[in-house]
Structure formats: C-alpha cells, structure tokens
C-alpha cells in the first residue's frame, strides 16, 4: 500500500463531520498558514511540491497561482471546478461525498495564499445531494470560526459559497464555468485575457479542480519538498483514479504516481484483473476525451518499456503510440467489446454537449456521430473511415476551447489502432450487426 494523502481517513466513521475531521488532524493547515506563513510562502510550498492540476490539463498548480494578477483595490477569487462531467470520471464526486471538510480546508488555505476573500465551489447540477453535504460542512466551518470574519483571530476574512451548474459538460472548461457562475450562458471565452488577469466578474481568478485544492493542506502541513519526494520525476504526489469498465474491482483508488499500468490493472490491490477471465483489449486511461490504446501499447511503450501511471509515461510516443493521464478516468475494455460502438457512443456525447459557438465543433461533432452510427449499424462505406479522419483533423485545434479536441482525439485514435475493426463493420455488415457478434482480429473472421 502506498502513501495516502487524500484518503488516509476516508473510511473513518463520521469523517464528514467537523468534530471527527478535526480529531484526525483536520484544519491544521489553516492554523499553520494563517498564523505562521505569509501567502507568498504558501504559494512557494505549492510550487516546490510540483503539484499538477488534477482536472486533466496537468499544469503546475503553483505556477498557475503565481500568474495571478494583483492590482490594487481589485478583489481576487478562487473557484473550485467541481463540475465533474468527463465520462468515466467520478473521483471528485466520491471524495466530496466522503470527506467534504477535506475540500473546504483546501479552499481556505488556498484562498489565503491567493489573497481571495470570496471563493466558490462550482458543482455539477446533477449532484445536488453532494451540494447539500458541502453546505452542511460549510455551515459547521462558519460556526467554528474557520470561515467568515477574522478566521482564528488572524485578521483574514473568507466567505465560501457553493454554486450548482445546469449540467453542461462545456462548463468544465474554466472560462465557460466562469460565465455560468456569473449567470450567463456557459460559453467559453476567447483567451487572452486569461482568468488570472480577468476572470470572475472581470477580476483576477484562479480555477482549480477538487483534487488539486484538496492536496494543498498536506503540502502545507508537511512541506512541498516532502510532497515532491512522492511519485516519479515531474509526476509528483498521489493521484485519485476512477477505475471502471471490464475489471473485477471498479472504484476510486489513490495511487502514488509511478505505479506500473500492468500492476494497476491486474493487482488485487487495485483493479483485480479483467472480469470473467477475459483478455484485455484496450484502455482509455484518462477519460473519454483522451486517445484509446490497445492492450500492447497500454502495458508497454512503443520502445518496450513498462508503461507507468504518470503524466510522462502515459503520453510517451505522443498520440501515435501514447495517450494522456487526463482526469484519471481509467476505462478498461475486454475482448468482447466493440470499439466502433464505443467510439460512436463517445461521439454522441460530444455532439450533444457542444455549445455550438465554434463551427468546426458544432458541425463536425454531428458529422462524426452520423458517420459512426452509419458504420455501426451496417450502412457504412469504405470511404467513411478516411472521412472520419478528415473531419477530426478539421475540428482539432480550430475551436475556442478544448471540447473540439476532446471530440476529435478519440475518433482518430480508434481508427489509428483499430482500423481493421471499422473495415470489418463495413465489409461484413450483416455479421457485424448480428447479436453477440465479436471482432476477433481477423478481418475475414466472424464469431457470433
């Protein structure tokens, strides 16, 4: 068992209450930061830690904090992105439900470091029961003097609010989130200006993910250098992984970054192997928006090295033979799964969730969904495969926000690694659409 930074006390009965949370060391980082450290010193500790954004982008959190503009007389804001909408991702929802004070402590300590006196947790609208849990915990923190005026006699003031969204995936993008938080339609903004300069209410703002903010208390309590010792290279610390799909032990796991992918899939400590004794076919390692990898490339890199659960190792080989850590949504497919159907299902999602602001995304996601539907249901044409690749290229890099890329990458990767399965659907539509039909890796072979 590796070090548990976020989940050490997650299963302690009553940990969601302030009393039990404080008995297990809760809010020590608030006391330490507010009474013995300057805001700049807290920022430096986070920079030293090497903590990277856990929402998907993986940008160094301390560096992001250091970009925050500090004009005189202008308020600053910290906004927690709890709009967990990436298909396959459920770690933040789970963590907030189990340990709401862990996030609230992180919000207080981080807000102090940034000089923010008003902060927000923007939560996915479908998670109203989590919102109630957070509101109850926030009320406890106010009653204990951990929020509000003159926190712990330090002279620092902070008001913390929870705001629900309307359930739009696009609001996971930070500028669309800010638009929604301001009461507007959740459309992404053009950048620059970046939120660090003009964010919420046109004021300097930092937007961080739930897991990122919740990691800050441990860093303040133990030091950034200690956090940097965990993990490998630039992938420091621990990571929450949402593991799902055809595995024996689906769930949320906290791993030290650097665990071999093979160990994560097959170890009883984690996923417990492929269910029903089947064979591994493919893995989407970081949520539906990252490229899928076949079994041989998820277990080892193209150079033959063991693939590790790190930002660098998962991206080794670029998109030709690699993928991304993303949000940590680790989705496993066994040899009974249809890649074409899975890809079409993802495309349906991205077409539905496109805000429609950019033509390449608005039109392109619709075309990809239609063409993939055509192939899956036995009406495809040979030229459809190259058409999909072409449409994906037209979308990628040509939109205001990354949703276009998120829609294009899974399609391009599926065709790159499983083109023969697409061709089988087109050449043998009757066999491919038969109930229980499975592609076995031979273009002329059919098993039903």
């Amino acid at each position: 068992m590796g070090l548990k930074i976020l989940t050490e006390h997650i299963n302690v009965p009553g940990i969601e209450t302030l009393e039990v949370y404080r008995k297990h060391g809760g809010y020590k980082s608030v006391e330490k930061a507010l009474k013995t450290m300057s805001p700049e010193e807290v920022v430096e500790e986070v920079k030293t830690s090497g903590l990277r954004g856990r929402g998907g982008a993986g940008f160094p959190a301390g560096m992001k904090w250091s970009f925050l503009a500090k004009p005189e007389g202008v308020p600053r804001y910290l906004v927690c992105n709890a709009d967990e909408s990436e298909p396959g991702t459920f770690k933040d929802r789970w963590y907030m439900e189990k340990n709401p004070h862990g996030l609230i402590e992180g919000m207080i300590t981080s807000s102090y470091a940034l000089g923010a006196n008003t902060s927000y947790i923007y939560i996915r609208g479908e998670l109203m029961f989590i919102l109630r849990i957070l509101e109850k915990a926030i009320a406890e923190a106010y009653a204990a003097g951990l929020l509000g005026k003159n926190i712990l006699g330090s002279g620092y003031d902070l008001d913390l609010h929870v705001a629900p969204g309307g359930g739009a995936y696009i609001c996971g993008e930070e500028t669309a989130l800010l638009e929604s938080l301001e009461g507007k339609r959740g459309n992404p903004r053009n950048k620059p200006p970046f939120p660090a300069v003009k964010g919420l209410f046109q004021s300097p703002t930092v937007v961080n993910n739930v897991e990122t903010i919740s990691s800050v208390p441990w860093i303040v309590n133990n030091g950034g250098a200690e956090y940097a010792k965990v993990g490998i290279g630039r992938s420091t610390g621990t990571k929450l992984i949402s593991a799902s799909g055809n595995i024996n032990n689906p769930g949320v796991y906290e791993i030290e970054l650097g665990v071999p992918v093979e160990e994560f899939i097959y170890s009883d400590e984690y996923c417990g192997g492929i269910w029903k004794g089947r064979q591994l076919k493919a893995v989407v390692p970081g949520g539906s928006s990252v490229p899928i990898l076949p079994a041989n490339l998820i277990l080892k890199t193209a150079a033959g090295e063991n693939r590790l659960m790190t930002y660098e190792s998962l991206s080794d080989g670029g998109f030709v033979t690699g993928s991304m850590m993303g949000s940590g949504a680790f989705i496993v497919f066994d040899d009974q799964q249809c890649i074409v159907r899975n890809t079409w299902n993802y495309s349906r999602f991205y077409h539905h969730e496109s805000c429609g602001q950019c033509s390449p995304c608005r039109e392109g996601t619709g075309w990809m969904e239609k063409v993939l539907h055509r192939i899956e249901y036995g009406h495809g044409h040979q030229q459809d495969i190259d058409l999909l690749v072409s449409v994906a290229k037209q979308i990628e890099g040509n939109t205001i926000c990354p949703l276009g890329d998120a829609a294009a990458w899974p399609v391009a990767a599926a065709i790159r690694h499983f083109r023969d399965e697409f061709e089988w659907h087109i050449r043998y539509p009757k066999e491919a659409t038969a109930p229980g039909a499975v592609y076995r890796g031979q273009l002329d072979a059919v098993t039903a």
Side-chain angles (χ1 to χ4, degrees):
M1 297 290 287
L3 177 67
K4 305 302 179 189
I5 288 175
L6 295 175
T7 63
E8 181 182 4
H9 304 298
I10 203 79
N11 292 317
V12 172
I15 196 67
E16 73 280 1
T17 66
L18 179 65
E19 180 183 4
V20 176
Y21 183 71
R22 295 198 81 171
K23 283 181 179 178
H24 288 82
Y27 290 102
K28 283 186 177 179
S29 75
V30 175
E31 296 184 31
K32 181 177 180 180
L34 270 57
K35 293 181 178 180
T36 68
M37 300 174 73
S38 68
E40 292 76 17
E41 287 173 330
V42 177
V43 173
E44 283 303 312
E45 289 295 339
V46 175
K47 289 176 72 174
T48 300
S49 74
L51 173 67
R52 296 169 68 165
R54 300 303 199 222
F59 191 82
M63 186 178 297
K64 186 175 185 177
W65 288 12
S66 67
F67 293 156
L68 186 69
K70 300 177 181 177
E72 285 289 332
V74 178
R76 296 168 227 155
Y77 298 99
L78 171 64
V79 177
C80 173
N81 185 348
D83 188 71
E84 188 175 44
S85 309
E86 180 84 352
T89 312
F90 46 90
K91 62 184 178 67
D92 292 342
R93 180 208 64 77
W94 176 84
Y95 182 78
M96 290 185 289
E97 178 183 3
K98 295 282 190 179
N99 190 22
H101 282 287
L103 173 58
I104 294 167
E105 180 178 1
M107 288 295 294
I108 299 169
T109 305
S110 301
S111 296
Y112 170 72
L114 297 168
N117 298 113
T118 303
S119 295
Y120 296 88
I121 300 171
Y122 182 94
I123 191 165
R124 183 163 176 77
E126 288 88 343
L127 300 179
M128 293 304 291
F129 75 104
I130 303 291
L131 180 143
R132 303 304 177 208
I133 291 171
L134 287 171
E135 286 183 332
K136 182 178 180 180
I138 288 171
E140 288 184 306
Y142 268 106
L146 293 162
L147 284 170
K149 300 291 184 183
N150 192 27
I151 297 173
L152 300 179
S154 65
Y156 173 65
D157 305 335
L158 176 65
D159 285 312
L160 179 60
H161 308 279
V162 186
Y169 173 77
I170 193 67
C171 290
E173 194 277 332
E174 62 178 7
T175 61
L177 183 158
L178 296 176
E179 288 286 290
S180 176
L181 194 52
E182 291 177 3
K184 305 171 187 173
R185 177 183 171 89
N187 280 358
R189 300 172 181 173
N190 278 307
K191 293 184 285 190
F194 291 90
V197 178
K198 286 191 176 182
L200 185 65
F201 309 126
Q202 296 299 299
S203 298
T205 304
V206 167
V207 181
N208 276 137
N209 165 265
V210 170
E211 186 184 348
T212 311
I213 293 171
S214 300
S215 300
V216 171
W218 195 96
I219 293 170
V220 171
N221 288 332
N222 298 276
E226 286 300 309
Y227 188 90
K229 292 177 182 178
V230 183
I232 296 177
R234 291 176 52 240
S235 293
T236 63
T238 65
K239 178 81 182 74
L240 294 180
I241 303 294
S242 310
S244 64
N246 303 132
I247 51 177
N248 287 315
N249 304 323
V252 178
Y253 297 96
E254 182 174 14
I255 64 167
E256 290 189 20
L257 287 169
V259 171
V261 171
E262 186 169 9
E263 178 183 339
F264 183 71
I265 294 175
Y266 291 101
S267 167
D268 290 337
E269 183 180 347
Y270 301 115
C271 298
I274 312 302
W275 74 327
K276 297 183 179 179
R278 295 175 180 173
Q279 297 298 308
L280 175 66
K281 181 173 183 177
V283 171
V284 178
S288 65
S289 61
V290 310
I292 191 171
L293 287 180
N296 62 309
L297 287 177
I298 191 62
L299 298 179
K300 293 187 180 294
T301 67
E305 299 176 352
N306 287 335
R307 186 83 72 175
L308 307 178
M309 298 288 281
T310 67
Y311 291 91
E312 291 75 27
S313 183
L314 286 172
S315 64
D316 184 271
F319 283 179
V320 177
T321 60
S323 184
M324 296 171 66
M325 171 71 77
S327 62
F330 198 85
I331 308 169
V332 178
F333 298 93
D334 67 24
D335 57 2
Q336 302 291 305
Q337 299 303 318
C338 175
I339 299 299
V340 177
R341 186 172 186 82
N342 170 71
T343 308
W344 166 62
N345 200 35
Y346 285 166
S347 287
R348 289 172 61 207
F349 173 82
Y350 288 110
H351 180 210
H352 180 269
E353 295 296 335
S354 173
C355 74
Q357 189 175 195
C358 305
S359 297
C361 180
R362 180 183 67 245
E363 303 299 328
T365 53
W367 277 110
M368 288 196 301
E369 180 193 347
K370 290 174 184 176
V371 174
L372 284 163
H373 179 276
R374 189 160 73 198
I375 296 173
E376 169 63 15
Y377 283 91
H379 306 292
H381 309 289
Q382 190 63 42
Q383 60 267 33
D384 283 346
I385 298 176
D386 290 332
L387 175 61
L388 285 168
V389 174
S390 176
V391 173
K393 287 181 179 178
Q394 306 279 343
I395 299 172
E396 184 180 357
N398 292 313
T399 55
I400 290 174
C401 86
L403 189 143
D405 294 345
W409 291 341
V411 175
I415 293 173
R416 182 182 308 119
H417 298 300
F418 299 96
R419 188 183 184 102
D420 55 348
E421 190 162 342
F422 284 82
E423 291 183 356
W424 180 67
H425 274 70
I426 293 168
R427 289 171 57 182
Y428 302 99
K430 184 177 179 180
E431 291 84 351
T433 56
V438 178
Y439 179 65
R440 295 294 190 183
Q442 295 286 332
L443 195 54
D444 297 314
V446 179
T447 302

